[in-house]
Structure formats: structure tokens, C-alpha cells
Amino acid sequence: MNTQSNAVPEAFDSQRAAPAVTSATRPLYWSVRRELWENRSIYIGPLAVAAVFLFGFLISMIHKRVKVHALLALAPEQQHQALQQPYLFATGLIMGVAMIVQIFYCAEALHSERRDRSILFWKSLPVSDLTTVLSKASIPFVILPLLAFVIVVVTQFFMLLLSSTILLGSGLSVATLWTQLSLSQTLLMLLYHLVTVHVLWYAPIYGWLMLVSGWARRAAFLWAVLPPLAICALEKAVFNTSHFLAMLEYRVNGPQDFVFPAHGGKVGMDWMKHLDLGGFLSTPGLWTGLVVAAAFLVVAVRLRRYRGPI
């Protein structure tokens, strides 16, 4: 009898399921997905702008198809500039909207969960503050730049398709359109610009906004903007200098010689010869900004750990 009674617990122990092994990156993955679910403006904003631009581009191409003959009579360089202008405008528009979304997302990333008190729920989950802050930082540093790049690629593809359809409908050849546009070079320039400027160079701006988002009790965006402006005004009034303002302008404008093509801001057909990636990577302001951005994110992690709901 004792042997049988002891055998029953042993049978249950042998059938007990082993604890599930959780990947170290799984909480970060689901935290990023949670940010995308809760902040639909991350992708709705750039997509809406791309859709509106495509509609306007279609109407413009229908009205301008009679001017195609005059375009074909231009020199190759002039044809390149004229054909590429709407594509560059679409690229700049989508990137500009994506950057606006980046700024306002960072200003609300840690503030909104404290304001609606959902931080009490998220803190009850087995997800560390470091994972949460990194998942939120991945939106402006990784997700939005990649999303903007993909939307630009799709938008330019549809623009090229619409242009080719209208030209063929007018009885004209699409050879000039396809040979003069050089969209591959334009997309490479866009990718270079996104990585160097929108990710690396603007990193301290995003870090500062997230730090203020975790600290401010209200009006996080104003708290992020007003102190730098106050420092600029105080320096000018006391010392009659503008060093802090010059530093801010340098951070916002970026190292123009290493990021943008030459020719006075125009995108030439040989623009890749004028880019200096080595010079950009050797810029002291780049690495200083990355160190400052990392420090801001570390402080943001500490603030989320000890800040409660508003």
C-alpha cells in the first residue's frame, strides 16, 4: 500500500510540465508591438501624406502631359532635374512628417502613460524599465526611419508607374523617364540621410525629449523647449554671447558638408562622389551627441523607475 501511495505523487511529478524558457528579446519585441498598437500616428501620418501626394501627383501628370514634348527637348542634366523634382519633393514631405511624428512621440512617450495612469498596469508586468524605455526609443531611432524609407520607396514606385502609364497613353516612349530618374541613387541618398541625420545626428534631441517626457508633470513639449531658450536668453543678457545658441543650431542643422550633396543643395547625377562618410564619422559632434543621448536615456530609465502616475 505504501508503495502504491508513493507512486501516485511520483507519477504526477513526472507529468509536470517544464517551465517555459523566455527569450531575452521577447519582452522587448512585444513592448515595441505595444507601442505600435497604442500609437497609430506612427504609421498613419506618413501613409496619409503619401496617399494625398499621390492623388495630387496623378492630377498634375494628367494636366502636364501636353508639356512632355518640351521636356524631351531639354539637355540631359536639365531633364534629370525636371523629372526628379516631384520625387524629391515627395521624399522630403514624407521625411518631414516622419520627423514631426518622431519629435511629438518622444515628448509623449513616457508622459502619456503617467497621465492616463496606465503606468500602474505596465509596471505590474514582468518587464523592466530598461526594456520599456528601449522599446520606446526604438520608435524614433529604428521604426520610424525604416517606415519612412519603405513608404518613400512605395510612393516613388507608384509615381513612376503613373508617369509611365500617362506617357504610354499619350503615345510617347518611357525610355527617357526610366533612364533619367536614377531612382536607385535617390533611394541610396535617402537611406544615407536617414541613418546619418535622422538617427545618429539627432539622437541627443530624441534622448532629451524622452528624458523630459519622463520628468514633466504636464506640458512635456513646452518643458523640453523653454529651458534651452531660457539658457540662450540668459547667456545673451549676462555675457553678451551666443555659444549655447550656436551649439543648438549646429545640432539642428548638422554637418552640411558631410551629409548633403554639393552643387548648392541640388542633387546632381554624380552626387555620390561628393559624400564624405569618413568625414562624418570623424566629426567630434557626432560622438559627443551619441554619448549625451545615451546619458539622457539612462536618466529616463531612472525616472520611469521612480516616477508615479500624475
Side-chain angles (χ1 to χ4, degrees):
M1 294 296 293
N2 292 336
T3 304
Q4 293 179 353
S5 62
N6 292 334
V8 174
E10 292 177 359
F12 278 107
D13 290 339
S14 62
Q15 297 177 1
R16 187 176 300 168
V21 179
T22 303
S23 173
T25 59
R26 191 169 182 82
L28 179 62
Y29 167 76
W30 283 104
S31 297
V32 173
R33 292 194 63 175
R34 191 252 294 190
E35 294 300 317
L36 296 176
W37 288 334
E38 291 188 344
N39 301 275
R40 297 182 179 180
S41 61
I42 293 173
Y43 51 88
I44 289 180
L47 283 175
V49 171
V52 172
F53 182 85
L54 280 176
F55 180 73
F57 179 76
L58 175 60
I59 297 176
S60 175
M61 285 300 299
I62 294 175
H63 286 288
K64 292 182 178 179
R65 68 183 184 275
V66 296
K67 301 180 180 180
V68 176
H69 294 283
L71 177 62
L72 297 178
L74 297 175
E77 183 68 23
Q78 293 175 327
Q79 286 182 2
H80 177 78
Q81 295 292 341
L83 290 172
Q84 204 173 37
Q85 183 177 3
Y87 292 84
L88 294 178
F89 182 77
T91 300
L93 188 63
I94 295 172
M95 289 173 57
V97 172
M99 186 173 178
I100 293 174
V101 175
Q102 285 174 302
I103 292 174
F104 281 95
Y105 170 83
C106 291
E108 290 292 324
L110 298 173
H111 185 261
S112 59
E113 66 177 6
R114 295 166 54 226
R115 184 176 61 246
D116 59 20
R117 296 179 178 269
S118 62
I119 189 174
L120 298 175
F121 170 74
W122 298 118
K123 278 183 172 291
S124 67
L125 300 180
V127 180
S128 65
D129 296 294
L130 175 62
T131 300
T132 301
V133 173
L134 288 180
S135 67
K136 293 178 180 294
S138 68
I139 300 299
F141 284 100
V142 180
I143 302 299
L144 264 169
L146 287 178
L147 181 63
F149 180 76
V150 172
I151 293 176
V152 168
V153 172
V154 174
T155 301
Q156 292 193 355
F157 171 77
F158 278 105
M159 291 173 65
L160 186 60
L161 185 62
L162 290 173
S163 302
S164 302
T165 303
I166 291 176
L167 288 177
L168 290 175
S170 303
L172 299 172
S173 174
V174 298
T176 302
L177 178 66
W178 285 77
T179 55
Q180 291 294 332
L181 274 180
S182 63
L183 290 183
S184 59
Q185 290 191 11
T186 304
L187 294 177
L188 284 175
M189 184 191 71
L190 170 63
L191 187 60
Y192 176 85
H193 183 80
L194 284 173
V195 173
T196 55
V197 179
H198 288 246
V199 176
L200 298 178
W201 192 258
Y202 289 161
I205 298 178
Y206 304 143
W208 166 252
L209 290 171
M210 293 193 67
L211 184 153
V212 176
S213 177
W215 171 82
R217 294 187 60 84
R218 58 180 60 87
F221 185 76
L222 289 179
W223 277 109
V225 174
L226 291 180
L229 295 180
I231 294 175
C232 293
L234 183 63
E235 180 190 359
K236 186 65 176 178
V238 176
F239 302 103
N240 195 25
T241 58
S242 302
H243 299 299
F244 192 78
L245 178 61
M247 185 269 294
L248 293 179
E249 291 178 348
Y250 178 63
R251 180 56 53 182
V252 172
N253 295 331
Q256 302 286 334
D257 296 337
F258 302 133
V259 175
F260 299 102
H263 308 303
K266 296 180 180 180
V267 181
M269 299 178 69
D270 58 346
W271 64 269
M272 296 185 68
K273 298 179 181 178
H274 303 277
L275 295 178
D276 188 2
L277 179 60
F280 174 76
L281 293 178
S282 62
T283 305
L286 169 65
W287 301 105
T288 303
L290 292 178
V291 171
V292 171
F296 285 158
L297 291 179
V298 170
V299 176
V301 173
R302 301 288 296 181
L303 287 173
R304 190 183 187 274
R305 182 173 302 171
Y306 298 108
R307 285 281 183 173
I310 300 175

